[in-house]
Amino acid sequence: MGLHRGNAGRRRGAAVIAATVALAVAAPVASAQAAPAAPAAQTAAGPSGVRAKGAYLLDNSANKKLWSKGPDTKRQMASITKLMTAVVVLDTRGVNLNKKVTVKQAYLDYIRTSGGSAADLKKGDKLTVRQLLYGMLLPSGCDAAMALADTFGSGSTTAKRTKSFVAKMNKKAAALGMTRTRYDSFDGISTHGANYTTARDLAKLARHALGNATLRTVVKTVDTEQKAPAANGRTRYYYWSNSNKLLGSYNGAIGIKTGTGTAAGKCIVFAALRSGRTVVGVLLGDSNRYPDAKKMLDWAYHTRTTVTWRKLPAGAPQD
């Protein structure tokens, strides 16, 4: 299996120091318009034309499978891995989301050597656990993921702590019944190709993740400004945009996580809420992931939706 190397040329989330900075406001995106429900004959067999190698569609409200394609074949998942990183952090007993974490040089060195996508953290800045979750899940920051793994792992060194954190990820996967999933990294950059899952397993993880109010809030956020104490005593402003283009484009979209890698291809775990009904979808190895996600959601909701896809701000990661 090929390595997942978060695109070395990928543009990164911006961070600037300022005394006062006005929050940049993204241009409004046209609201999605729902057309009349599709005839039953068109919706009976499942959504047509989905290109993914692996796919799964779940009625989250009823915990019922709606449709799947190659649901149990093991595949690499790239940065979708970070969803489990978030779950392990948030499921930690007594987790303090306001705990301050100091950014280490090791996190920045890791980005440079791995080529992973970044939240553009700066050495010496102090971010809260909650802020690191935003930095990890919106711009898909591998530096933020490492900071969380280092903080919530155990051991005397960063290497030992991050390794122990990955062990916690595998323990959580087993507890959730993700029997065909294995993690060898905290962010999806797999050095040995032993970081894999299935579409069915990811649907289980997504269902569990959506049960956490903090995670739901983070993954449905389109853009955020976060300020943190900088190493020089001033204030650092971080601006992060969500790499998930369903948000702000598809009516009712509420997350969850994108991923892109050499071996994994383009992936997404997504969810939407309409009329009190939550639907979760998974696409692994899909070059057409956003239109395919729309097809799956429209099929599940028995509708046809017109979408104007949100454009990410200049410089935002394209995970």
Side-chain angles (χ1 to χ4, degrees):
M1 299 178 73
L3 298 182
H4 165 67
R5 310 283 297 184
N7 234 339
R10 191 175 296 165
R11 292 173 292 186
R12 298 172 174 176
V16 296
I17 294 181
T20 55
V21 179
L23 175 61
V25 179
V29 179
S31 299
Q33 300 296 319
Q42 293 180 322
T43 63
S48 61
V50 174
R51 299 180 189 176
K53 295 177 180 178
Y56 202 92
L57 191 61
L58 174 75
D59 184 325
N60 196 62
S61 302
N63 193 20
K64 177 183 177 181
K65 185 185 85 168
L66 299 174
W67 174 81
S68 66
K69 177 182 178 183
D72 298 312
T73 300
K74 296 176 182 177
R75 304 184 187 283
Q76 289 205 40
M77 64 187 113
S79 289
I80 301 296
T81 299
K82 292 164 185 163
L83 180 57
M84 178 59 89
T85 302
V87 164
V88 170
V89 169
L90 290 168
D91 281 0
T92 298
R93 180 175 298 180
V95 60
N96 178 9
L97 296 176
N98 296 317
K99 174 183 171 65
K100 295 280 189 178
V101 177
T102 301
V103 177
K104 298 178 181 179
Q105 183 63 42
Y107 310 157
L108 314 186
D109 292 342
Y110 174 70
I111 292 297
R112 186 180 65 255
T113 57
S114 69
S117 52
D120 203 22
L121 303 182
K122 302 300 181 183
K123 180 183 177 181
D125 285 8
K126 297 180 183 298
L127 288 86
T128 65
V129 170
R130 189 191 310 274
Q131 289 175 321
L132 289 172
L133 287 169
Y134 277 99
M136 178 177 68
L137 294 173
L138 270 65
S140 202
C142 296
D143 44 0
M146 187 176 188
L148 289 169
D150 189 26
T151 300
F152 287 86
S154 58
S156 58
T157 65
T158 293
K160 290 179 179 179
R161 287 189 291 271
T162 53
K163 183 177 180 179
S164 75
F165 186 86
V166 173
K168 290 183 179 182
M169 295 168 69
N170 284 309
K171 184 177 180 180
K172 177 61 69 173
L176 294 176
M178 299 168 64
T179 59
R180 298 179 69 79
T181 295
R182 179 71 182 173
Y183 296 100
D184 72 356
S185 73
F186 49 78
D187 60 357
I189 298 180
S190 176
T191 55
H192 302 293
N195 196 82
Y196 55 82
T197 189
T198 69
R200 188 190 305 273
D201 276 2
L202 283 180
K204 293 177 182 179
L205 176 60
R207 177 172 170 76
H208 176 80
L210 289 175
N212 185 283
T214 297
L215 189 139
R216 289 199 309 272
T217 297
V218 173
V219 299
K220 73 179 181 182
T221 301
V222 177
D223 299 287
T224 187
E225 176 194 48
Q226 301 286 333
K227 61 181 180 179
N232 63 2
R234 299 179 67 189
T235 298
R236 180 96 59 191
Y237 289 80
Y238 287 92
Y239 305 90
W240 294 316
S241 291
N242 202 315
S243 59
N244 182 357
K245 292 184 181 180
L246 284 174
L247 295 170
S249 303
Y250 188 89
N251 184 28
I254 56 173
I256 300 173
K257 186 71 187 77
T258 60
T260 301
T262 302
K266 293 185 179 298
C267 308
I268 187 170
V269 176
F270 57 95
L273 171 62
R274 286 189 180 182
S275 301
R277 180 172 173 239
T278 300
V279 172
V280 166
V282 179
L283 290 166
L284 296 175
D286 190 343
S287 60
N288 200 44
R289 60 183 169 179
Y290 292 116
D292 282 351
K294 173 192 171 299
K295 289 177 185 177
M296 290 167 65
L297 290 172
D298 276 358
W299 181 82
Y301 287 120
H302 306 290
T303 190
R304 293 193 184 96
T305 304
T306 300
V307 170
T308 299
W309 296 109
R310 174 174 63 95
K311 293 183 179 180
L312 299 182
Q318 305 283 326
D319 188 34

